[in-house]
């Protein structure tokens, strides 16, 4: 875009006054000197010898003091040397002689951009828009850089309306609309857009989002219903209807909307995850929706980023709902049996539930799969102690304690359980030995 072709300049190298006042032979001589010096400048610039290029251009300038092409070339050489003030001055001189040459203004813009003088760049780009409307995209970025968000938003909406949306402009718009003071203007703009383009789904979605963000739920619902009427196949309408149904304690309708959204390839997975979390909170004390939750989880089976069944298990785990935590941990482990963390969490939940027979059985099986993981030996020892099977507890704990490395809390628990095991076996001396070890470790913490 910023390359200039020089074949045009021969017709403008000589001023009319010079031709009128100079003898023909002198004109030819001047012509030769000018062209030789000019081509010398192009040659030196081509091999990045900018000082010599400038020297050659200075000779040209003496021969033709008001030649805009010479000034432009001077500007380019100074810009290449990062002598920004000199470059800008020469580009500006060129524009004053020939303001209709776009590339002279581009040279000034290049200097402003390099020096991050975005306010002056706005002045130059406003002029460049007269040559080429596409410079409005640059103007949007400049408004963003100078935090003139109101002007940026107006221009973004204009461009969206006339030439269509771009990801860059939409990102800028999202950034601007994080500040509530710009949201009212955008709401008004979206209302106008919906009237003009009633079948354009994205405008409804954006307006629903803005109303929801500003807690104008009634207006959000109104636009949602309008969207559903204008575009009956819209999955996005169900996103807002889902929230509306839950707010009205209508779980059945909420499930219907949720299932439509989860089955849709158009809706972003982050929105689906958020809806699932809202549904979890809604059904916390409503077991009649357990089957609906299981169906909802099935939609996320192929989700590689978030293991939904595991996250739901953690949700119930934190709320001490052991049975549901177990249910969803085990659901997750059906397809992720090597998930070490979940295996430990499940043992923790069974322990909290005091189902020590299951803890012992699972821990022994896991020892075979992970023979160097001390946690499974510990849970086996703990469970066997609780089941009064002290010999098995002692054997498991003694086999596992050597695998404990840099985990003081686990080492303390091993020693406590070994003390319990020896107490159960009737050896009070060894019991005291292990309890004293645990006590000494606790004092080191």
């Amino acid at each position: 875009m910023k390359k200039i072709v020089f074949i045009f300049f021969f017709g403008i190298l000589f001023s009319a006054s010079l031709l009128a006042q100079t003898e023909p032979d002198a004109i030819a001589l001047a012509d030769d000197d000018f062209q030789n010096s000019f081509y010398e400048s192009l040659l030196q610039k081509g091999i990045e010898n900018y000082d010599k290029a400038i020297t050659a251009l200075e000779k040209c300038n003496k021969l033709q003091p008001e030649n805009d092409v010479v000034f432009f070339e001077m500007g380019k050489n100074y810009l290449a040397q990062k002598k920004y003030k000199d470059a800008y001055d020469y580009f500006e001189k060129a524009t004053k002689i020939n303001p209709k040459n776009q590339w002279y203004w581009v040279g000034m813009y290049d200097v402003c951009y390099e020096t991050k003088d975005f306010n002056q760049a706005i002045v130059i780009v406003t002029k460049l828009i007269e040559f080429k409307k596409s410079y409005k995209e640059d103007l949007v970025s400049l408004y963003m850089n100078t935090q003139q968000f109101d002007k940026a938003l107006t221009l973004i909406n204009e461009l969206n309306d006339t030439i269509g949306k771009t990801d860059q402009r939409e990102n800028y718009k999202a950034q601007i609309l994080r500040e509530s003071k710009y949201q009212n203007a955008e709401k008004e703009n979206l209302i106008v857009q919906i009237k003009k383009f009633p079948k354009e789904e994205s405008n409804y979605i954006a307006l629903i989002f803005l109303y929801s963000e500003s807690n104008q739920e009634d207006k959000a619902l109104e636009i949602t219903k309008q969207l559903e009427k204008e575009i009956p196949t819209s999955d996005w309408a169900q996103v807002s209807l889902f929230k509306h149904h839950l707010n009205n304690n209508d779980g059945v309708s909420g499930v219907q909307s949720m299932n439509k959204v989860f089955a849709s390839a158009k809706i972003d997975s982050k929105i689906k995850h958020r809806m699932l979390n809202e549904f979890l909170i809604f059904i916390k004390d409503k077991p009649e929706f357990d089957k609906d939750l299981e169906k909802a989880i099935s939609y996320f089976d192929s989700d590689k980023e978030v293991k939904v069944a595991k996250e739901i298990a953690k949700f119930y785990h934190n709320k001490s709902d052991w049975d549901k935590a177990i249910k969803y941990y085990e659901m997750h482990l059906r397809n992720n049996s090597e998930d070490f963390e979940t295996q430990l969490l499940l043992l923790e939940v069974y322990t909290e539930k005091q189902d020590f027979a299951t803890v012992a059985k699972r821990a022994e099986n896991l020892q075979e799969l992970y023979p160097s993981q001390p946690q499974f030996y510990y849970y086996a020892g703990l469970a066997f102690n609780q089941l009064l099977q002290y010999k098995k507890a002692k054997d498991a704990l003694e086999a596992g304690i050597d695998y404990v490395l840099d985990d003081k809390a686990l080492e303390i628990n091993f020693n406590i359980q070994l003390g319990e095991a020896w107490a159960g076996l009737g050896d009070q001396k060894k019991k005291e030995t292990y309890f004293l070890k645990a006590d000494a470790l606790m004092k080191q913490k």
Side-chain angles (χ1 to χ4, degrees):
M1 181 184 76
K2 298 180 183 178
K3 290 181 179 178
I4 184 166
V5 179
F6 288 97
I7 59 173
F8 74 90
F9 78 89
F10 292 108
I12 61 168
L13 292 180
F14 306 107
S15 69
S17 60
L18 183 63
L19 288 170
Q21 297 171 15
T22 312
E23 293 297 325
D25 289 345
I27 293 170
L29 184 59
D31 186 14
D32 289 343
D33 286 349
F34 186 98
Q35 289 189 37
N36 290 338
S37 295
F38 193 87
Y39 278 118
E40 176 67 14
S41 76
L42 295 180
L43 176 66
Q44 296 299 333
K45 185 181 72 173
I47 59 174
E48 300 183 2
N49 198 338
Y50 302 116
D51 286 333
K52 287 187 177 180
I54 289 168
T55 299
L57 288 166
E58 286 171 346
K59 291 179 182 177
C60 292
N61 184 238
K62 287 179 181 177
L63 292 167
Q64 293 190 23
E66 294 299 315
N67 191 308
D68 48 301
V69 177
V70 173
F71 289 145
F72 179 55
E73 281 297 313
M74 292 281 273
K76 289 204 290 184
N77 280 279
Y78 278 121
L79 179 58
Q81 292 181 310
K82 301 186 185 302
K83 295 181 178 179
Y84 297 117
K85 185 179 184 308
D86 290 331
Y88 188 91
D89 288 344
Y90 277 106
F91 287 136
E92 188 174 33
K93 285 179 181 180
T95 63
K96 287 178 178 177
I97 296 169
N98 184 6
K100 292 183 179 181
N101 190 311
Q102 172 188 341
W103 303 109
Y104 300 170
W105 297 95
V106 169
M108 294 168 72
Y109 180 30
D110 286 342
V111 175
C112 291
Y113 194 85
E114 289 287 323
T115 57
K116 294 183 169 39
D117 187 352
F118 298 125
N119 285 306
Q120 185 59 23
I122 289 171
V123 176
I124 306 302
V125 169
T126 303
K127 181 67 180 177
L128 281 168
I129 289 168
E130 296 176 15
F131 296 99
K132 203 171 182 180
K133 298 296 183 187
S134 61
Y135 278 105
K136 286 187 177 182
E137 297 286 359
D138 293 62
L139 189 54
V140 171
S141 297
L142 291 168
Y143 282 146
M144 293 300 294
N145 275 311
T146 54
Q147 299 187 336
Q148 298 183 63
F149 298 133
D150 50 346
K151 290 182 179 179
L153 184 58
T154 299
L155 187 52
I156 287 167
N157 287 332
E158 177 197 319
L159 292 171
N160 285 352
D161 200 17
T162 54
I163 62 174
K165 297 177 180 178
T166 66
D167 290 341
Q168 176 74 348
R169 273 189 262 119
E170 287 303 287
N171 287 334
Y172 282 151
K173 192 170 188 176
Q175 181 182 333
I176 293 168
L177 293 178
R178 290 192 194 111
E179 294 190 37
S180 58
K181 66 180 178 179
Y182 298 110
Q183 291 179 3
N184 286 335
E186 179 59 9
K187 288 172 189 173
E188 292 171 9
N189 170 61
L190 288 167
I191 290 168
V192 170
Q193 293 300 312
I194 287 169
K195 287 178 181 176
K196 286 171 66 176
F197 308 105
K199 300 300 181 184
E200 178 54 55
E201 188 180 47
S202 62
N203 292 323
Y204 294 94
I205 297 163
L207 186 54
I208 291 165
F209 175 79
L210 286 177
Y211 280 140
S212 298
E213 285 289 292
S214 56
N215 296 317
Q216 294 175 282
E217 294 299 340
D218 290 342
K219 288 190 175 182
L221 179 61
E222 181 185 328
I223 300 301
T224 300
K225 289 179 177 177
Q226 190 178 339
L227 169 59
E228 194 176 30
K229 180 182 176 182
E230 290 288 349
I231 312 175
T233 58
S234 172
D235 296 323
W236 282 98
Q238 301 302 322
V239 175
S240 291
L241 286 171
F242 164 78
K243 189 171 183 179
H244 171 70
H245 293 319
L246 294 195
N247 288 341
N248 286 345
N249 204 33
D250 183 356
V252 174
S253 297
V255 167
Q256 291 174 353
S257 292
M258 179 178 70
N259 287 338
K260 288 178 183 177
V261 172
F262 286 177
S264 172
K266 296 179 183 177
I267 311 297
D268 187 89
S269 63
K270 290 179 182 177
I271 292 173
K272 293 178 181 180
H273 287 179
R274 187 191 72 202
M275 290 175 67
L276 185 61
N277 288 336
E278 290 173 354
F279 186 62
L280 262 179
I281 294 166
F282 176 77
I283 66 169
K284 186 171 71 73
D285 300 314
K286 300 179 178 68
E288 64 270 25
F289 290 104
D290 283 356
K291 287 186 178 178
D292 296 305
L293 179 59
E294 287 184 37
K295 182 178 179 181
I297 293 171
S298 70
Y299 287 111
F300 297 90
D301 285 345
S302 60
D303 192 330
K304 295 180 180 179
E305 292 185 15
V306 179
K307 302 300 183 183
V308 172
K310 180 178 178 178
E311 293 307 310
I312 290 173
K314 286 182 176 181
F315 172 84
Y316 286 121
H317 190 157
N318 291 332
K319 294 188 176 299
S320 302
D321 190 335
W322 310 128
D323 289 334
K324 285 188 176 176
I326 288 168
K327 175 180 177 179
Y328 292 109
Y329 279 138
E330 289 186 336
M331 184 185 295
H332 168 73
L333 286 170
R334 281 176 211 155
N335 298 317
N336 302 275
S337 60
E338 295 182 359
D339 186 336
F340 180 78
E341 181 195 31
T342 301
Q343 295 287 8
L344 285 176
L345 289 168
L346 188 54
L347 287 172
E348 182 183 317
V349 173
Y350 275 120
T351 301
E352 292 286 354
K353 198 182 174 188
Q354 298 190 351
D355 183 352
F356 296 110
T358 300
V359 173
K361 184 178 178 180
R362 289 189 72 92
E364 280 195 311
N365 289 337
L366 287 164
Q367 284 174 43
E368 294 178 14
L369 292 172
Y370 303 98
S372 62
Q373 293 297 334
Q375 292 93 334
F376 299 130
Y377 295 90
Y378 166 73
Y379 273 109
L382 169 67
F384 284 130
N385 270 337
Q386 294 297 320
L387 295 169
L388 309 182
Q389 297 178 39
Y390 299 115
K391 176 69 166 57
K392 284 187 174 182
K394 176 189 78 70
D395 290 345
L397 292 162
E398 286 181 340
I401 195 167
D402 289 338
Y403 295 117
V404 180
L405 298 171
D406 300 321
D407 189 340
K408 196 164 286 185
L410 183 59
E411 190 178 355
I412 289 167
N413 286 333
F414 258 94
N415 281 290
I416 290 170
Q417 292 303 319
L418 276 164
E420 295 287 355
W422 281 110
L425 292 169
D427 191 327
Q428 294 300 314
K429 185 175 180 181
K430 286 193 174 180
K431 167 194 165 183
E432 288 300 322
T433 298
Y434 283 107
F435 280 174
L436 287 170
K437 281 185 181 180
D439 187 54
L441 286 167
M442 281 189 279
K443 288 176 179 176
Q444 293 174 20
K445 290 181 73 175

